[in-house]
mmCIF file of all heavy atoms in Angstrom:
data_model
loop_
_atom_site.group_PDB
_atom_site.id
_atom_site.type_symbol
_atom_site.label_atom_id
_atom_site.label_comp_id
_atom_site.label_asym_id
_atom_site.label_seq_id
_atom_site.Cartn_x
_atom_site.Cartn_y
_atom_site.Cartn_z
ATOM 1 N N SER R 862 0.847 -1.195 0.000
ATOM 2 C CA SER R 862 0.000 0.000 0.000
ATOM 3 C C SER R 862 0.879 1.240 0.000
ATOM 4 O O SER R 862 2.064 1.194 0.355
ATOM 5 C CB SER R 862 -0.935 0.010 1.208
ATOM 6 O OG SER R 862 -0.200 0.145 2.411
ATOM 7 N N ILE R 863 0.290 2.369 -0.407
ATOM 8 C CA ILE R 863 1.006 3.633 -0.440
ATOM 9 C C ILE R 863 0.137 4.729 0.163
ATOM 10 O O ILE R 863 -1.087 4.617 0.211
ATOM 11 C CB ILE R 863 1.413 4.030 -1.877
ATOM 12 C CG1 ILE R 863 0.172 4.146 -2.772
ATOM 13 C CG2 ILE R 863 2.407 3.042 -2.457
ATOM 14 C CD1 ILE R 863 0.461 4.675 -4.167
ATOM 15 N N CYS R 864 0.793 5.799 0.604
ATOM 16 C CA CYS R 864 0.072 6.951 1.128
ATOM 17 C C CYS R 864 1.019 8.150 1.140
ATOM 18 O O CYS R 864 2.246 7.993 1.010
ATOM 19 C CB CYS R 864 -0.441 6.674 2.548
ATOM 20 S SG CYS R 864 -1.676 7.889 3.140
ATOM 21 N N HIS R 865 0.456 9.343 1.265
ATOM 22 C CA HIS R 865 1.281 10.542 1.404
ATOM 23 C C HIS R 865 0.526 11.548 2.258
ATOM 24 O O HIS R 865 -0.690 11.467 2.423
ATOM 25 C CB HIS R 865 1.646 11.142 0.039
ATOM 26 C CG HIS R 865 0.462 11.516 -0.810
ATOM 27 N ND1 HIS R 865 -0.250 12.682 -0.641
ATOM 28 C CD2 HIS R 865 -0.145 10.858 -1.834
ATOM 29 C CE1 HIS R 865 -1.227 12.737 -1.532
ATOM 30 N NE2 HIS R 865 -1.193 11.636 -2.269
ATOM 31 N N GLY R 866 1.270 12.491 2.836
ATOM 32 C CA GLY R 866 0.620 13.456 3.710
ATOM 33 C C GLY R 866 1.575 14.542 4.163
ATOM 34 O O GLY R 866 2.586 14.814 3.511
ATOM 35 N N SER R 867 1.242 15.154 5.287
ATOM 36 C CA SER R 867 2.023 16.278 5.796
ATOM 37 C C SER R 867 2.218 16.129 7.299
ATOM 38 O O SER R 867 1.610 15.282 7.951
ATOM 39 C CB SER R 867 1.305 17.598 5.492
ATOM 40 O OG SER R 867 0.042 17.630 6.158
ATOM 41 N N SER R 868 3.074 16.993 7.836
ATOM 42 C CA SER R 868 3.304 17.003 9.276
ATOM 43 C C SER R 868 3.717 18.402 9.707
ATOM 44 O O SER R 868 4.501 19.061 9.006
ATOM 45 C CB SER R 868 4.391 15.997 9.666
ATOM 46 O OG SER R 868 4.660 16.080 11.056
ATOM 47 N N ARG R 869 3.196 18.878 10.811
ATOM 48 C CA ARG R 869 3.646 20.116 11.429
ATOM 49 C C ARG R 869 4.551 19.711 12.594
ATOM 50 O O ARG R 869 4.076 19.335 13.662
ATOM 51 C CB ARG R 869 2.443 20.945 11.895
ATOM 52 C CG ARG R 869 2.791 22.157 12.729
ATOM 53 C CD ARG R 869 3.620 23.184 11.992
ATOM 54 N NE ARG R 869 2.935 23.750 10.855
ATOM 55 C CZ ARG R 869 2.167 24.838 10.903
ATOM 56 N NH1 ARG R 869 1.976 25.451 12.059
ATOM 57 N NH2 ARG R 869 1.601 25.312 9.802
ATOM 58 N N ASP R 870 5.854 19.761 12.356
ATOM 59 C CA ASP R 870 6.823 19.338 13.362
ATOM 60 C C ASP R 870 7.185 20.497 14.277
ATOM 61 O O ASP R 870 7.353 21.636 13.824
ATOM 62 C CB ASP R 870 8.096 18.816 12.689
ATOM 63 C CG ASP R 870 7.831 17.579 11.846
ATOM 64 O OD1 ASP R 870 6.807 16.911 12.086
ATOM 65 O OD2 ASP R 870 8.647 17.276 10.956
ATOM 66 N N ILE R 871 7.322 20.214 15.551
ATOM 67 C CA ILE R 871 7.790 21.203 16.517
ATOM 68 C C ILE R 871 9.219 20.820 16.903
ATOM 69 O O ILE R 871 9.460 19.755 17.465
ATOM 70 C CB ILE R 871 6.894 21.260 17.757
ATOM 71 C CG1 ILE R 871 5.453 21.592 17.362
ATOM 72 C CG2 ILE R 871 7.427 22.291 18.755
ATOM 73 C CD1 ILE R 871 4.478 21.583 18.529
ATOM 74 N N CYS R 872 10.162 21.681 16.560
ATOM 75 C CA CYS R 872 11.569 21.435 16.845
ATOM 76 C C CYS R 872 11.954 22.165 18.130
ATOM 77 O O CYS R 872 11.795 23.385 18.223
ATOM 78 C CB CYS R 872 12.441 21.935 15.690
ATOM 79 S SG CYS R 872 12.013 21.239 14.076
ATOM 80 N N PHE R 873 12.465 21.433 19.089
ATOM 81 C CA PHE R 873 12.899 22.009 20.349
ATOM 82 C C PHE R 873 14.404 22.257 20.258
ATOM 83 O O PHE R 873 15.202 21.321 20.254
ATOM 84 C CB PHE R 873 12.563 21.075 21.514
ATOM 85 C CG PHE R 873 11.082 20.780 21.631
ATOM 86 C CD1 PHE R 873 10.544 19.630 21.073
ATOM 87 C CD2 PHE R 873 10.239 21.672 22.278
ATOM 88 C CE1 PHE R 873 9.184 19.361 21.174
ATOM 89 C CE2 PHE R 873 8.887 21.411 22.389
ATOM 90 C CZ PHE R 873 8.347 20.255 21.831
ATOM 91 N N MET R 874 14.778 23.544 20.162
ATOM 92 C CA MET R 874 16.160 23.917 19.930
ATOM 93 C C MET R 874 16.969 23.850 21.219
ATOM 94 O O MET R 874 16.435 23.962 22.325
ATOM 95 C CB MET R 874 16.230 25.336 19.352
ATOM 96 C CG MET R 874 15.279 25.609 18.199
ATOM 97 S SD MET R 874 15.528 24.504 16.804
ATOM 98 C CE MET R 874 17.187 24.968 16.321
ATOM 99 N N ARG R 875 18.263 23.685 21.052
ATOM 100 C CA ARG R 875 19.159 23.653 22.204
ATOM 101 C C ARG R 875 19.135 24.980 22.969
ATOM 102 O O ARG R 875 19.364 25.026 24.183
ATOM 103 C CB ARG R 875 20.583 23.332 21.752
ATOM 104 C CG ARG R 875 21.562 23.073 22.865
ATOM 105 C CD ARG R 875 22.867 22.543 22.332
ATOM 106 N NE ARG R 875 22.689 21.234 21.730
ATOM 107 C CZ ARG R 875 22.674 20.090 22.409
ATOM 108 N NH1 ARG R 875 22.801 20.113 23.722
ATOM 109 N NH2 ARG R 875 22.510 18.937 21.801
ATOM 110 N N SER R 876 18.824 26.067 22.265
ATOM 111 C CA SER R 876 18.768 27.392 22.897
ATOM 112 C C SER R 876 17.523 27.574 23.765
ATOM 113 O O SER R 876 17.406 28.550 24.486
ATOM 114 C CB SER R 876 18.782 28.476 21.819
ATOM 115 O OG SER R 876 17.601 28.409 21.039
ATOM 116 N N GLY R 877 16.567 26.623 23.657
ATOM 117 C CA GLY R 877 15.330 26.743 24.407
ATOM 118 C C GLY R 877 14.152 27.202 23.566
ATOM 119 O O GLY R 877 13.010 27.162 24.028
ATOM 120 N N LYS R 878 14.422 27.643 22.329
ATOM 121 C CA LYS R 878 13.345 28.083 21.460
ATOM 122 C C LYS R 878 12.631 26.889 20.843
ATOM 123 O O LYS R 878 13.178 25.788 20.757
ATOM 124 C CB LYS R 878 13.899 28.981 20.359
ATOM 125 C CG LYS R 878 14.396 30.333 20.855
ATOM 126 C CD LYS R 878 14.794 31.223 19.695
ATOM 127 C CE LYS R 878 15.242 32.596 20.183
ATOM 128 N NZ LYS R 878 14.124 33.344 20.773
ATOM 129 N N GLU R 879 11.389 27.113 20.409
ATOM 130 C CA GLU R 879 10.618 26.113 19.687
ATOM 131 C C GLU R 879 10.332 26.644 18.275
ATOM 132 O O GLU R 879 9.883 27.769 18.121
ATOM 133 C CB GLU R 879 9.300 25.814 20.401
ATOM 134 C CG GLU R 879 9.482 25.183 21.773
ATOM 135 C CD GLU R 879 8.155 24.851 22.437
ATOM 136 O OE1 GLU R 879 7.107 24.950 21.745
ATOM 137 O OE2 GLU R 879 8.158 24.500 23.624
ATOM 138 N N VAL R 880 10.616 25.825 17.292
ATOM 139 C CA VAL R 880 10.452 26.221 15.896
ATOM 140 C C VAL R 880 9.511 25.234 15.218
ATOM 141 O O VAL R 880 9.677 24.019 15.341
ATOM 142 C CB VAL R 880 11.812 26.236 15.158
ATOM 143 C CG1 VAL R 880 11.622 26.631 13.699
ATOM 144 C CG2 VAL R 880 12.772 27.189 15.853
ATOM 145 N N GLU R 881 8.527 25.743 14.508
ATOM 146 C CA GLU R 881 7.609 24.884 13.755
ATOM 147 C C GLU R 881 8.129 24.699 12.332
ATOM 148 O O GLU R 881 8.557 25.658 11.683
ATOM 149 C CB GLU R 881 6.201 25.489 13.725
ATOM 150 C CG GLU R 881 5.507 25.467 15.069
ATOM 151 C CD GLU R 881 4.058 25.912 14.981
ATOM 152 O OE1 GLU R 881 3.654 26.383 13.891
ATOM 153 O OE2 GLU R 881 3.341 25.786 15.977
ATOM 154 N N LEU R 882 8.077 23.466 11.866
ATOM 155 C CA LEU R 882 8.578 23.134 10.535
ATOM 156 C C LEU R 882 7.539 22.287 9.818
ATOM 157 O O LEU R 882 7.160 21.217 10.297
ATOM 158 C CB LEU R 882 9.896 22.371 10.649
ATOM 159 C CG LEU R 882 10.601 22.019 9.342
ATOM 160 C CD1 LEU R 882 11.066 23.288 8.624
ATOM 161 C CD2 LEU R 882 11.787 21.086 9.600
ATOM 162 N N ASP R 883 7.059 22.770 8.676
ATOM 163 C CA ASP R 883 6.097 22.014 7.872
ATOM 164 C C ASP R 883 6.850 21.058 6.961
ATOM 165 O O ASP R 883 7.748 21.470 6.210
ATOM 166 C CB ASP R 883 5.233 22.960 7.030
ATOM 167 C CG ASP R 883 4.282 23.779 7.892
ATOM 168 O OD1 ASP R 883 3.754 23.226 8.866
ATOM 169 O OD2 ASP R 883 4.079 24.970 7.580
ATOM 170 N N THR R 884 6.484 19.783 7.015
ATOM 171 C CA THR R 884 7.130 18.781 6.172
ATOM 172 C C THR R 884 6.091 18.008 5.376
ATOM 173 O O THR R 884 4.896 18.004 5.697
ATOM 174 C CB THR R 884 7.952 17.784 7.021
ATOM 175 O OG1 THR R 884 7.077 17.118 7.950
ATOM 176 C CG2 THR R 884 9.044 18.489 7.791
ATOM 177 N N ARG R 885 6.559 17.374 4.318
ATOM 178 C CA ARG R 885 5.736 16.477 3.509
ATOM 179 C C ARG R 885 6.362 15.083 3.570
ATOM 180 O O ARG R 885 7.579 14.938 3.711
ATOM 181 C CB ARG R 885 5.691 16.940 2.055
ATOM 182 C CG ARG R 885 5.165 18.346 1.850
ATOM 183 C CD ARG R 885 3.675 18.424 2.000
ATOM 184 N NE ARG R 885 2.995 17.465 1.144
ATOM 185 C CZ ARG R 885 1.707 17.137 1.259
ATOM 186 N NH1 ARG R 885 0.967 17.677 2.223
ATOM 187 N NH2 ARG R 885 1.143 16.280 0.440
ATOM 188 N N TRP R 886 5.527 14.053 3.461
ATOM 189 C CA TRP R 886 6.035 12.686 3.507
ATOM 190 C C TRP R 886 5.265 11.791 2.547
ATOM 191 O O TRP R 886 4.116 12.057 2.217
ATOM 192 C CB TRP R 886 5.971 12.110 4.924
ATOM 193 C CG TRP R 886 4.616 12.155 5.566
ATOM 194 C CD1 TRP R 886 4.119 13.145 6.358
ATOM 195 C CD2 TRP R 886 3.558 11.180 5.441
ATOM 196 N NE1 TRP R 886 2.836 12.854 6.745
ATOM 197 C CE2 TRP R 886 2.466 11.658 6.194
ATOM 198 C CE3 TRP R 886 3.437 9.974 4.766
ATOM 199 C CZ2 TRP R 886 1.262 10.939 6.290
ATOM 200 C CZ3 TRP R 886 2.246 9.266 4.861
ATOM 201 C CH2 TRP R 886 1.172 9.749 5.617
ATOM 202 N N SER R 887 5.922 10.749 2.112
ATOM 203 C CA SER R 887 5.284 9.697 1.309
ATOM 204 C C SER R 887 5.826 8.361 1.794
ATOM 205 O O SER R 887 6.981 8.256 2.219
ATOM 206 C CB SER R 887 5.576 9.880 -0.187
ATOM 207 O OG SER R 887 6.967 9.878 -0.438
ATOM 208 N N VAL R 888 4.977 7.338 1.758
ATOM 209 C CA VAL R 888 5.356 6.066 2.350
ATOM 210 C C VAL R 888 4.839 4.902 1.515
ATOM 211 O O VAL R 888 3.776 4.985 0.894
ATOM 212 C CB VAL R 888 4.809 5.963 3.806
ATOM 213 C CG1 VAL R 888 3.284 5.936 3.819
ATOM 214 C CG2 VAL R 888 5.364 4.750 4.524
ATOM 215 N N THR R 889 5.628 3.847 1.481
ATOM 216 C CA THR R 889 5.215 2.569 0.910
ATOM 217 C C THR R 889 5.246 1.530 2.020
ATOM 218 O O THR R 889 6.260 1.380 2.709
ATOM 219 C CB THR R 889 6.149 2.131 -0.232
ATOM 220 O OG1 THR R 889 6.135 3.123 -1.261
ATOM 221 C CG2 THR R 889 5.696 0.790 -0.813
ATOM 222 N N LEU R 890 4.126 0.839 2.200
ATOM 223 C CA LEU R 890 4.015 -0.177 3.246
ATOM 224 C C LEU R 890 3.925 -1.557 2.624
ATOM 225 O O LEU R 890 3.389 -1.727 1.527
ATOM 226 C CB LEU R 890 2.773 0.077 4.105
ATOM 227 C CG LEU R 890 2.633 1.452 4.754
ATOM 228 C CD1 LEU R 890 1.309 1.535 5.508
ATOM 229 C CD2 LEU R 890 3.796 1.746 5.675
ATOM 230 N N VAL R 891 4.445 -2.553 3.335
ATOM 231 C CA VAL R 891 4.345 -3.943 2.898
ATOM 232 C C VAL R 891 3.890 -4.789 4.086
ATOM 233 O O VAL R 891 4.142 -4.443 5.241
ATOM 234 C CB VAL R 891 5.684 -4.482 2.344
ATOM 235 C CG1 VAL R 891 6.089 -3.725 1.083
ATOM 236 C CG2 VAL R 891 6.788 -4.394 3.400
ATOM 237 N N ARG R 892 3.247 -5.884 3.764
ATOM 238 C CA ARG R 892 2.886 -6.835 4.814
ATOM 239 C C ARG R 892 4.084 -7.749 5.042
ATOM 240 O O ARG R 892 4.492 -8.492 4.155
ATOM 241 C CB ARG R 892 1.652 -7.643 4.411
ATOM 242 C CG ARG R 892 0.942 -8.291 5.601
ATOM 243 C CD ARG R 892 -0.141 -9.257 5.129
ATOM 244 N NE ARG R 892 -1.148 -8.590 4.329
ATOM 245 C CZ ARG R 892 -2.232 -7.994 4.823
ATOM 246 N NH1 ARG R 892 -2.426 -7.975 6.121
ATOM 247 N NH2 ARG R 892 -3.125 -7.428 4.030
ATOM 248 N N ASP R 893 4.657 -7.649 6.224
ATOM 249 C CA ASP R 893 5.891 -8.359 6.541
ATOM 250 C C ASP R 893 5.663 -9.201 7.789
ATOM 251 O O ASP R 893 5.422 -8.659 8.873
ATOM 252 C CB ASP R 893 7.029 -7.348 6.760
ATOM 253 C CG ASP R 893 8.381 -8.009 6.926
ATOM 254 O OD1 ASP R 893 8.469 -9.241 6.834
ATOM 255 O OD2 ASP R 893 9.367 -7.287 7.162
ATOM 256 N N GLY R 894 5.704 -10.507 7.640
ATOM 257 C CA GLY R 894 5.451 -11.377 8.781
ATOM 258 C C GLY R 894 4.039 -11.265 9.309
ATOM 259 O O GLY R 894 3.809 -11.416 10.516
ATOM 260 N N GLY R 895 3.091 -10.964 8.425
ATOM 261 C CA GLY R 895 1.693 -10.856 8.808
ATOM 262 C C GLY R 895 1.287 -9.485 9.325
ATOM 263 O O GLY R 895 0.112 -9.260 9.611
ATOM 264 N N ALA R 896 2.253 -8.549 9.442
ATOM 265 C CA ALA R 896 1.958 -7.202 9.952
ATOM 266 C C ALA R 896 2.413 -6.164 8.940
ATOM 267 O O ALA R 896 3.368 -6.375 8.187
ATOM 268 C CB ALA R 896 2.657 -6.976 11.292
ATOM 269 N N TRP R 897 1.731 -5.016 8.927
ATOM 270 C CA TRP R 897 2.106 -3.932 8.037
ATOM 271 C C TRP R 897 3.351 -3.233 8.564
ATOM 272 O O TRP R 897 3.439 -2.902 9.745
ATOM 273 C CB TRP R 897 0.966 -2.932 7.881
ATOM 274 C CG TRP R 897 -0.148 -3.446 7.039
ATOM 275 C CD1 TRP R 897 -1.342 -3.949 7.473
ATOM 276 C CD2 TRP R 897 -0.170 -3.528 5.610
ATOM 277 N NE1 TRP R 897 -2.104 -4.339 6.404
ATOM 278 C CE2 TRP R 897 -1.423 -4.085 5.247
ATOM 279 C CE3 TRP R 897 0.722 -3.180 4.605
ATOM 280 C CZ2 TRP R 897 -1.780 -4.313 3.910
ATOM 281 C CZ3 TRP R 897 0.379 -3.404 3.275
ATOM 282 C CH2 TRP R 897 -0.865 -3.962 2.943
ATOM 283 N N LYS R 898 4.340 -3.022 7.676
ATOM 284 C CA LYS R 898 5.596 -2.380 8.025
ATOM 285 C C LYS R 898 5.948 -1.334 6.968
ATOM 286 O O LYS R 898 5.488 -1.383 5.836
ATOM 287 C CB LYS R 898 6.725 -3.424 8.104
ATOM 288 C CG LYS R 898 6.484 -4.570 9.070
ATOM 289 C CD LYS R 898 6.707 -4.160 10.513
ATOM 290 C CE LYS R 898 6.621 -5.357 11.455
ATOM 291 N NZ LYS R 898 6.907 -4.991 12.856
ATOM 292 N N VAL R 899 6.800 -0.412 7.358
ATOM 293 C CA VAL R 899 7.263 0.633 6.441
ATOM 294 C C VAL R 899 8.433 0.099 5.623
ATOM 295 O O VAL R 899 9.469 -0.276 6.181
ATOM 296 C CB VAL R 899 7.699 1.888 7.219
ATOM 297 C CG1 VAL R 899 8.285 2.935 6.264
ATOM 298 C CG2 VAL R 899 6.526 2.471 7.996
ATOM 299 N N ALA R 900 8.287 0.088 4.301
ATOM 300 C CA ALA R 900 9.376 -0.321 3.420
ATOM 301 C C ALA R 900 10.123 0.891 2.865
ATOM 302 O O ALA R 900 11.328 0.846 2.659
ATOM 303 C CB ALA R 900 8.844 -1.168 2.268
#
């Protein structure tokens, strides 16, 4: 199976600040050992 989407990541900086980062992702999954896994 396949899918794609987005994520609003919150990055916690060493300085103490928090930075929001918008990312995109795509994934291919396979049934491995009877369970769905990320390939």
